[in-house]
Amino acid sequence: MTCKWIDMNGFHRKVRTWSFVVVMCEKGGTDVKAIRLDNQTSMDEARMTAEQDNPGWRFKGIFTISERDFGR
């Protein structure tokens, strides 16, 4: 579990963060890619980050990931 501090209206708040993998498809093409995003506060934040960082790509799915997924 990871956390980060956010500032909301002058108040500091500690929130839990997650790691996600976002699957995206190329608009007008045939490519597919998976993007790993760490330290995200929600699925919505991860989706918006992926869409903003990858213009020309369409969101297809999102999954949470953890260290357990990598056999640790």
Side-chain angles (χ1 to χ4, degrees):
M1 178 177 88
T2 58
C3 298
K4 72 178 177 181
W5 290 93
I6 60 172
D7 184 20
M8 297 179 74
N9 301 324
F11 294 98
H12 297 291
R13 183 174 157 207
K14 187 176 182 180
V15 295
R16 184 171 181 183
T17 59
W18 304 84
S19 293
F20 296 99
V21 63
V22 179
V23 178
M24 301 193 79
C25 297
E26 183 181 28
K27 293 179 182 176
T30 60
D31 289 339
V32 176
K33 66 179 172 180
I35 303 158
R36 180 179 176 156
L37 295 170
D38 296 316
N39 299 318
Q40 302 293 302
T41 59
S42 68
M43 282 188 171
D44 289 336
E45 179 186 23
R47 179 180 178 166
M48 287 187 293
T49 300
E51 288 177 333
Q52 290 172 357
D53 292 349
N54 297 280
W57 292 80
R58 179 171 290 120
F59 170 83
K60 191 63 180 171
I62 189 167
F63 304 91
T64 57
I65 56 174
S66 67
E67 293 302 320
R68 186 179 66 192
D69 295 325
F70 300 98
R72 295 184 189 164

